[in-house]
Amino acid sequence: KQEVTQIPAALSVPEGENLVLNCSFTDSAIYNLQWFRQDPGKGLTSLLLIQSSQREQTSGRLNASLDKSSGRSTLYIAASQPGDSATYLCAGDETSGSRLTFGEGTQLTVNP
Amino acid sequence: EPEVTQTPSHQVTQMGQEVILRCVPISNHLYFYWYRQILGQKVEFLVSFYNNEISEKSEIFDDQFSVERPDGSNFTLKIRSTKLEDSAMYFCASSVYVNSPLHFGNGTRLTVT
């Protein structure tokens, strides 16, 4: 059974800092990998989707990479801003379109 | 930007009662999902739905749960006889294709007393 772990559980940084969030899988048989953002009391917003044939995706200040051989993914946030404060979740599926297995999330606080 | 809409935002019900959680997915999306998040725990998959039938369901999705797409726009989750442990935030999601990003609604907080 796939288990997803996210490290650290919480992170507090000053504005402007570059940071890395980590996600690891017990079973490296990940097909697609998504990173989401969750704001308090809100749903999940998809940030980046790394499809099975890809190794990384970029959107603005965000870059996500996936190393299937090691079962790890990282989300890099450049020049962090207070508006980036949220919980970041990673989730993977094992076959095309199958259930997503989520990590517990990293709660990020960016201080002005 | 189109959104997934869920109603109600908060539902309180007594144990043993039936509840129906409602969702309006994004109009051109073909794949529909329900996930839930018990307070302080991970987001968990419940069920996926495509072409008017269940594609996949989790161990949580037992006979007390059912899903329906009664018309061209709504997607519902029914819990027939609620239990205390069903208290959670229930999220509906949809995607255009099977390998495209999931779009989530803001959730329905279900409280079973």
Side-chain angles (χ1 to χ4, degrees), chain A residues 39-51:
Chain A
D39 292 282
K42 299 284 189 181
L44 283 67
T45 301
S46 180
L47 297 172
L48 292 164
L49 167 64
I50 305 176
Q51 295 184 327

Side-chain angles (χ1 to χ4, degrees), chain B:
Chain B
E1 184 175 331
E3 292 182 338
V4 175
T5 305
Q6 290 187 244
T7 55
S9 57
H10 192 187
Q11 173 98 42
V12 181
T13 189
Q14 290 190 327
M15 195 167 53
Q17 296 296 304
E18 174 183 289
V19 293
I20 297 176
L21 309 183
R22 302 181 191 278
C23 170
V24 179
I26 296 173
S27 62
N28 64 331
H29 285 193
L30 302 176
Y31 295 82
F32 313 110
Y33 312 85
W34 285 99
Y35 284 80
R36 79 174 186 187
Q37 187 175 30
I38 295 170
L39 189 64
Q41 298 187 21
K42 296 182 181 183
V43 177
E44 303 175 286
F45 169 80
L46 292 177
V47 66
S48 59
F49 192 87
Y50 169 71
N51 200 27
N52 283 320
E53 59 183 34
I54 291 174
S55 310
E56 185 181 4
K57 60 183 181 180
S58 73
E59 304 72 27
I60 303 167
F61 195 89
D62 61 21
D63 292 344
Q64 293 301 310
F65 291 85
S66 62
V67 289
E68 194 177 32
R69 187 155 163 83
D71 51 43
S73 60
N74 291 286
F75 180 50
T76 62
L77 174 69
K78 181 193 292 186
I79 309 175
R80 289 192 186 80
S81 178
T82 50
K83 306 176 192 134
L84 295 176
E85 54 265 36
D86 293 329
S87 294
M89 182 74 90
Y90 287 79
F91 292 108
C92 173
S94 66
S95 64
V96 180
Y97 303 116
V98 68
N99 285 325
S100 52
L102 265 63
H103 294 254
F104 280 78
N106 283 339
T108 293
R109 179 165 297 284
L110 176 65
T111 302
V112 182
T113 62

Side-chain angles (χ1 to χ4, degrees), chain A residues 31-104:
Chain A
Y31 195 80
N32 299 314
L33 188 287
Q34 291 190 56
W35 282 92
F36 295 89
R37 168 187 174 134
Q38 186 175 27
D39 292 282
K42 299 284 189 181
L44 283 67
T45 301
S46 180
L47 297 172
L48 292 164
L49 167 64
I50 305 176
Q51 295 184 327
S52 62
S53 59
Q54 300 170 330
R55 292 195 175 181
E56 68 175 320
Q57 280 288 331
T58 298
S59 176
R61 294 181 293 107
L62 305 180
N63 174 275
S65 64
L66 174 62
D67 182 348
K68 292 187 179 183
S69 61
S70 65
R72 295 175 186 269
S73 177
T74 59
L75 177 67
Y76 175 82
I77 303 177
S80 57
Q81 302 171 358
D84 295 331
S85 298
T87 297
Y88 290 80
L89 302 168
C90 68
D93 56 25
E94 295 182 19
T95 60
S96 175
S98 66
R99 67 181 72 184
L100 287 177
T101 301
F102 280 83
E104 58 274 79

